[in-house]
Every structure is written in C-alpha cells, then in structure tokens.
Amino acid sequence: MLTVKATPYDFTFDPTNTALVIIDMQRDFLEPGGFGELLGNDVSQLRTAIAPLQTVLNTVRAKQMMVIHTREGHRPDLADLPEAKRTRGNLSCGIGDAGPMGRILIRGEAGHEIIDELKPIAGEPIIDKPGKGSFHATDLESILKNHNIKQLIVTGVTTEVCVHTTVREANDRGYECLVLSDCVASYFPEFQAVGLKMIAAQGGIFGWVAPSSALLEALSI
Ligand code: TIU
C-alpha cells in the first residue's frame, strides 16, 4: 500500500487496484472554436492542467497502473443527445452544428479528440460518455469491476462539472477518489477553489484532494 499526503487525511492505495481517470481533455474544451468557447468561456484557463497531468500520466504508465480516458460527446445522428442538452444555452452554434473543428461535441470530429499532449496509447480504455458523469450511460463501471479497480485518481476538466459529477457518481458506487488539484481545471478560478474544497470537506464527503507532487512522491517509493 502507498500513502499520499492528502486533504482531509492520508489517501492509502494499492497501485494494482487503482486507476488514473483522465476526464474530457478534449480539443472541444481546451482549444478555441470548440464547445467550451461557444459556451462563453476563456479556454486558456484549462491549460494549467496539461503539464502536471503529462508528468502524472508518464509516471503512472511506467508503474503499469491502469489508465482510463473519457470523452464527452454524441453520436453523429444525435440519437443520444437529450433535447434539454441540445437546446441549453440558446446557442446559435451548439452541439451537432458545424464549428471550426468539425461538428461540435460529435464523436469522430476533430474537436472531440483528446489533445495531442495526452493522447491515449494502446491498452488504455476510452470511455465515450454522453453526459457529464463518466458512469452515466457508459461501460465504465463494468470495466472497473473487470479489472478489480477499487480506487480512482481523478484528473481532467472541468473541476465543477464533469470531474465533480464523476467523483460523486464514483463515491456513491463505493469507489474512493483522490482528485489531483493541479491536474483538474475550471474556466472559473473561484469554482476551481471551491470545487476542490467541496470534495474534501466534511471529512472527505466525496473524496480526497492532493497536489500531483504528493502522488509522485508516494509513487517514487
Ligand atoms: N462546461 C463545462 O464546464 N464543462 C462541460 O461542459 N463538460 C466537462 O466538464 N467535461
């Protein structure tokens, strides 16, 4: 067992039963012209997570730990897109419409791809999810069960939306989640701060929070 110095207290984990989950590090959220910018956001805010996440990913791969990537997006025929999600925001260009990186948030389009800096490699499952949570309408839970994964190290974007929804879903399903504070990012600095606080408050009501340096220290032993 390894121990990470975390908030609200140490996170103890077995690397063989723990997966790194990288949520929605897609061009649609991190690059101009994608869904994130169409929602009115400054997408440059999310780029802080890239470099620390690259270091964590390389380390976790070297330790042979499981890595899982997720992507938010929809079928080209939009059959899995709820009307409530399609119309949300009254966007003139929204999900399924043509944007500079192809159709917005549609599987197979350039904008839907994971950014080059964090490209999945062979053997790393990619979960295509239609919602904010990574468990809703996906096979994530059966993949975790089949690999005997009990704990998750959660990273990606955005902190208060897809990261939070996933951590809450995982927590209710019995998974312990460690969220790496510098490997998640929000378009809103205040949501980043309070989003992390909400996870670890009340004795770790949804999980643990630590900087990636604390995980790297634990893995270096
Ligand atoms: N808008 C926003 O903050 N996030 C999303 O729409 N999706 C994810 O967080 N991945």
Side-chain angles (χ1 to χ4, degrees), residues 153-181:
I153 296 168
V154 184
T155 62
V157 294
T158 62
T159 307
E160 77 281 10
V161 182
C162 292
V163 172
H164 246 253
T165 308
T166 297
V167 167
R168 291 170 189 233
E169 287 181 325
N171 184 56
D172 278 350
R173 285 167 173 77
Y175 295 96
E176 293 184 324
C177 295
L178 171 67
V179 178
L180 298 181
S181 54

Side-chain angles (χ1 to χ4, degrees), residues 17-58:
N17 300 129
T18 303
L20 173 68
V21 180
I22 305 179
I23 297 178
D24 299 0
M25 291 297 283
Q26 295 161 258
R27 300 183 68 196
D28 255 322
F29 294 108
L30 286 119
E31 294 184 9
F35 185 57
E37 189 173 76
L38 289 170
L39 292 173
N41 298 305
D42 169 12
V43 293
S44 69
Q45 293 283 333
L46 301 191
R47 304 198 70 82
T48 55
I50 298 173
L53 195 37
Q54 281 180 305
T55 305
V56 167
L57 179 56
N58 289 336

Side-chain angles (χ1 to χ4, degrees), residues 98-110:
M101 292 190 289
R103 293 177 68 203
I104 304 297
L105 231 55
I106 298 300
R107 294 175 193 157
E109 302 287 337

Side-chain angles (χ1 to χ4, degrees), residues 48-205:
T48 55
I50 298 173
L53 195 37
Q54 281 180 305
T55 305
V56 167
L57 179 56
N58 289 336
T59 306
V60 160
R61 280 174 177 162
K63 298 283 178 191
Q64 318 282 333
M65 286 173 61
M66 189 174 195
V67 176
I68 297 173
H69 305 259
T70 75
R71 301 185 295 202
E72 180 177 347
H74 296 276
R75 296 160 54 113
D77 64 4
L78 306 182
D80 59 352
L81 176 62
E83 185 66 1
K85 185 174 181 184
R86 192 187 68 76
T87 57
R88 189 71 50 83
N90 292 321
L91 304 173
S92 53
C93 178
I95 299 171
D97 295 334
M101 292 190 289
R103 293 177 68 203
I104 304 297
L105 231 55
I106 298 300
R107 294 175 193 157
E109 302 287 337
H112 183 259
E113 285 173 9
I114 291 170
I115 58 172
D116 287 341
E117 295 92 324
L118 297 166
K119 275 266 173 283
I121 58 173
E124 295 175 348
I126 301 172
I127 307 293
D128 277 321
K129 62 187 185 64
K132 305 307 181 193
S134 301
F135 289 83
H136 169 68
T138 73
D139 54 6
L140 175 60
E141 191 163 16
S142 70
I143 290 174
L144 296 177
K145 281 194 163 55
N146 292 339
H147 287 82
N148 202 26
I149 297 295
K150 312 278 186 208
Q151 294 172 293
L152 307 177
I153 296 168
V154 184
T155 62
V157 294
T158 62
T159 307
E160 77 281 10
V161 182
C162 292
V163 172
H164 246 253
T165 308
T166 297
V167 167
R168 291 170 189 233
E169 287 181 325
N171 184 56
D172 278 350
R173 285 167 173 77
Y175 295 96
E176 293 184 324
C177 295
L178 171 67
V179 178
L180 298 181
S181 54
D182 52 339
C183 296
V184 296
S186 169
Y187 298 119
F188 305 91
E190 67 270 36
F191 293 171
Q192 171 76 1
V194 81
L196 291 171
K197 275 189 179 176
M198 288 166 70
I199 291 165
Q202 304 185 67
I205 195 82

